[in-house]
Amino acid sequence: MNKYLSVLPEVQAAIDAGKPVVALESTILSHGMPYPQNLEFGKKVEQIIREEGAVPATIAVLDGKLKVGLSESELERMCQDHSIGKVSRRDVPVYLATGKPGATTVATTMLIAEMAGIPIFATGGIGGVHRGAETTMDISADLQELAHTSVAVVSAGVKSILDIGLTLEYLETMGVPVLGMQTKDFPAFYCRKSGFQVDCDLKSYEEAARVMKAKWDAGLKGGIIIANPIPEEYAMDSDYMNGIIEQAVREAKEQGVKGKAITPFLLARIVELTGGDSLASNIQLAYHNARCASRIAVEYSRL
């Protein structure tokens, strides 16, 4: 056992018994929304996973440990402590050595989930190739993690602030299957369609589980994207959102926002520009992804 890994007893018991477990990231809690809305969200998403017959495992880096599953007090800490950093793969050793508290990105959540033996993870949207990356080289570590880490990631596609076409090209190069949950169209986070196609339209949760098992049983390492479109009633208009995103990207460039700070800046600015509507959509798509991941996890545990 990795000496840095600290798994909540309930989560470890479920893993040992082959029961369904769903990993969750913590960046959305610490950097995605204000308190107490983030705490309400964190509790609700875990409740949804339990209602679907799986065990939730929210992941974070606390007190020099890779935490898999958080106690109630730890969950509150992730939501209230303003000193919590944003931890991608490159940051993990620093946070472990110094004991600094950190919220995990998609890449780090995948990494820790695989260490713990959790094959599926629910998030909002994955990172990818940023607009203008042909000159900035700003490409999320999530994509490399998906290439090498054997965890299926249920998301509403990639964040709309990114260059979706280039992100999909990168994933194809890295051999990452991009599957749609009952859709041929790759979703664009707030919007149900991006104008791009998925590699395979999954007809059921059981079929998704069979693809996961076939990939890893065949010795093909690496992750899988299961793209789950935002429910119709919470989806936003594509043209409207593109205009908002372009304005936020322009402002980020004018203000010199770069690197790790760019995604939180853009998402926060989009919330302001949409009068809070984008945050409401973000929360609903995250709940929807948790339900989807839980149903797949239940099917996978039966195989």
Side-chain angles (χ1 to χ4, degrees):
M1 179 64 74
N2 186 322
K3 71 175 183 177
Y4 292 107
L5 203 58
S6 173
V7 185
L8 200 69
E10 180 200 12
V11 175
Q12 190 61 61
I15 293 167
D16 292 343
K19 290 180 179 175
V21 180
V22 176
L24 298 164
E25 53 145 301
S26 48
T27 296
I28 193 168
L29 303 177
S30 300
H31 302 284
M33 59 186 82
Y35 181 84
Q37 192 174 18
N38 52 1
L39 183 59
E40 290 164 13
F41 169 82
K43 289 180 175 178
K44 174 73 171 173
V45 79
E46 290 197 355
Q47 180 191 334
I48 286 167
I49 289 168
R50 292 186 194 284
E51 287 169 357
E52 295 293 341
V55 175
T58 302
I59 290 176
V61 184
L62 291 171
D63 307 318
K65 295 288 183 183
L66 305 171
K67 305 288 286 189
V68 181
L70 301 179
S71 67
E72 200 165 318
S73 62
E74 287 168 338
L75 189 65
E76 291 211 19
R77 183 181 173 191
M78 295 307 295
C79 295
Q80 290 194 66
D81 187 344
H82 294 297
S83 72
I84 288 171
K86 184 179 173 185
V87 182
S88 193
R89 173 185 264 265
R90 69 173 183 186
D91 309 305
V92 171
V94 174
Y95 278 74
L96 289 177
T98 61
K100 284 164 55 176
T104 55
T105 62
V106 168
T108 319
T109 306
M110 285 185 74
L111 172 75
I112 298 168
E114 185 184 49
M115 283 181 189
I118 301 171
I120 191 157
F121 159 41
T123 186
I126 63 163
V129 179
H130 279 264
R131 300 181 187 204
E134 59 272 19
T135 53
T136 65
M137 291 300 288
D138 192 350
I139 300 170
S140 170
D142 296 355
L143 302 187
Q144 278 292 318
E145 207 63 49
L146 279 156
H148 303 296
T149 303
S150 298
V151 173
V153 181
V154 178
S155 76
V158 299
K159 296 182 177 79
S160 313
I161 56 177
L162 304 169
D163 188 315
I164 294 172
L166 288 184
T167 298
L168 291 171
E169 289 287 354
Y170 193 107
L171 288 165
E172 181 186 3
T173 301
M174 291 291 139
V176 178
V178 177
L179 315 176
M181 179 47 68
Q182 299 174 343
T183 182
K184 292 183 174 130
D185 296 283
F186 186 73
F189 202 61
Y190 306 112
C191 310
R192 288 178 63 82
K193 296 180 181 181
S194 67
F196 296 94
Q197 300 284 293
V198 295
D199 301 327
C200 172
D201 173 7
L202 298 167
K203 305 302 180 196
S204 66
Y205 304 114
E206 192 260 345
E207 186 175 37
R210 283 194 283 111
V211 172
M212 289 163 59
K213 184 165 168 49
K215 183 179 197 295
W216 299 324
D217 280 0
L220 298 168
K221 290 192 179 298
I224 298 168
I225 292 175
I226 298 171
N228 186 41
I230 183 172
E232 191 87 58
E233 62 268 36
Y234 302 112
M236 301 186 78
D237 179 75
S238 298
D239 292 338
Y240 167 72
M241 283 310 297
N242 281 334
I244 293 283
I245 290 162
E246 281 167 15
Q247 181 178 336
V249 169
R250 189 167 59 250
E251 289 177 10
K253 195 172 182 181
E254 287 166 359
Q255 294 178 37
V257 182
K258 293 178 182 174
K260 225 190 249 193
I262 196 160
T263 298
F265 173 88
L266 292 174
L267 293 177
R269 190 68 187 110
I270 289 165
V271 170
E272 290 171 8
L273 292 168
T274 60
D277 289 349
S278 65
L279 180 57
S281 291
N282 191 348
I283 288 168
Q284 292 301 327
L285 68 83
Y287 291 157
H288 188 52
N289 293 341
R291 284 188 196 95
C292 176
S294 302
R295 291 169 187 176
I296 295 168
V298 167
E299 295 296 338
Y300 187 78
S301 71
R302 290 175 178 153
L303 295 177

